[in-house]
Amino acid sequence: MTKMNAIVFDTFGDTSVFREATVEKPVVGAGQVLIKQQAIAMDPYDVKFRSGAFGGVATADTISGSTIAGVVEAIGSDVNEFVVGERVVAVPHTGGYAEYAVVDAKQTGHLPANVAFTDAAALALGGQTGYQAVVDALDLQPGESILVHGGAGAVGYAALQTALYRGAGKIYTTALPTDVDYLHELNAEIEVIDFTKQKFTDVIPENSLDTVVEIIGGNNAVGSMQVLKAGGRIVSTVPLNDEAKTARDAKKITGDYYVMQSTTDVLTKLMEHLSTGDYKVAVAEVKPFNLANLIAGQKIVESQSVRGKVVLTF
């Protein structure tokens, strides 16, 4: 069997559980593609998985890493949409921290020649979540108003761009004061609410909004119900608590907790938006793939100390 270099762990814990290893190169199966890695992004999902937040039991030589970009090395049977040598981006959720990764073809997207591997990896996970929240869950229509919480984060930034692309009317977002200019670069008419100084419920009129993208939950979600119109729509990337559900149901608001589903169609659309310049993505740092840089990158994600993604290249 052919070997490859990978960064693995055997038990859940902090970043000290990571170690370098030589493991078997994965073999492509039916409905899958084998990708020779070019770039991986550090995502909050990766930190949660490594820490054991999703439960389960870690096994020996566990390879994590959720968001990748590279070149198709081989294709399995029943795969007709991809060819060997093609540039692709994928969100396998695990298996990314290695020289090669096997991914279901349905979780893989086509990557235009003018989109950098680093940008593709940086956008794929948060970008899909933000896109699907606005398009699939909310079905935002031209002229409708929207509040996107955390607009400077990966999900929020993609949701704002999708709202603009869909022709939204009034757009609100919450952010740190250091992110105001950054968000106004997307569109100067976005009303950015500095959540360190103001409550969004004091800025946005009650019962005024058509839609909300909620990423925080708890009391924040309750406030989101307050600013929504009766019959409005909400999508949340975190489960809603009972108080938020009660407020939602009282106003006949539709929507709930939503889990992103990686698809070829959405990934490819996102990459096309990058290719044409319709979408932007923030990349904080690009470093070579090795143990020290991976650990440092995950610590940056945990500390939320930079805007944009940390990306490692092969």
Side-chain angles (χ1 to χ4, degrees), residues 159-208:
L160 285 174
Q161 293 181 85
T162 306
L164 289 166
Y165 190 80
R166 296 273 288 193
K170 181 64 176 179
I171 301 176
Y172 295 92
T173 192
T174 59
L176 290 166
T178 51
D179 292 323
V180 174
D181 290 343
Y182 170 66
L183 293 171
H184 279 160
E185 288 176 3
L186 288 179
N187 188 296
E189 294 185 5
I190 295 173
E191 185 161 348
V192 184
I193 302 168
D194 175 1
F195 65 79
T196 68
K197 295 180 179 178
Q198 293 177 296
K199 294 181 179 179
F200 70 90
T201 50
D202 292 336
V203 176
I204 304 172
E206 190 172 351
N207 304 316
S208 66

Side-chain angles (χ1 to χ4, degrees), residues 33 35 37 39-41 43 45-46 64-70 82 88-96 101-110 120-129 132 260-264 266-268 270-271 309:
V33 294
I35 299 173
Q37 303 276 50
I40 59 168
D43 287 301
Y45 179 92
D46 304 328
S64 57
S66 59
T67 312
I68 66 178
F82 298 94
V88 292
V89 59
V91 183
H93 292 299
T94 59
V102 162
V103 186
D104 286 345
K106 63 184 181 182
Q107 296 176 316
T108 305
H110 303 280
L123 180 65
L125 184 54
Q128 279 193 105
T129 304
Q132 290 182 346
M260 182 274 293
Q261 300 295 321
S262 184
T263 69
T264 297
V266 175
L267 270 173
T268 301
L270 283 173
M271 298 307 125
K309 296 289 186 180

Side-chain angles (χ1 to χ4, degrees), residues 204-282:
I204 304 172
E206 190 172 351
N207 304 316
S208 66
L209 289 183
D210 296 302
T211 62
V212 171
V213 176
E214 172 63 62
I215 66 167
I216 299 169
N219 290 334
N220 203 78
V222 176
S224 293
M225 303 305 174
Q226 179 180 325
V227 298
L228 276 166
K229 298 175 179 177
R233 309 189 299 284
I234 190 168
V235 58
S236 182
T237 60
V238 294
L240 298 174
N241 63 19
D242 290 341
E243 186 179 359
K245 289 179 179 179
T246 298
R248 175 197 63 187
D249 297 344
K251 294 175 68 173
K252 293 183 169 55
I253 293 166
T254 58
D256 208 330
Y257 175 47
Y258 183 83
V259 179
M260 182 274 293
Q261 300 295 321
S262 184
T263 69
T264 297
D265 181 55
V266 175
L267 270 173
T268 301
K269 284 179 179 177
L270 283 173
M271 298 307 125
E272 289 171 350
H273 282 308
L274 271 183
S275 175
T276 58
D278 292 327
Y279 274 38
K280 300 177 182 178
V281 63

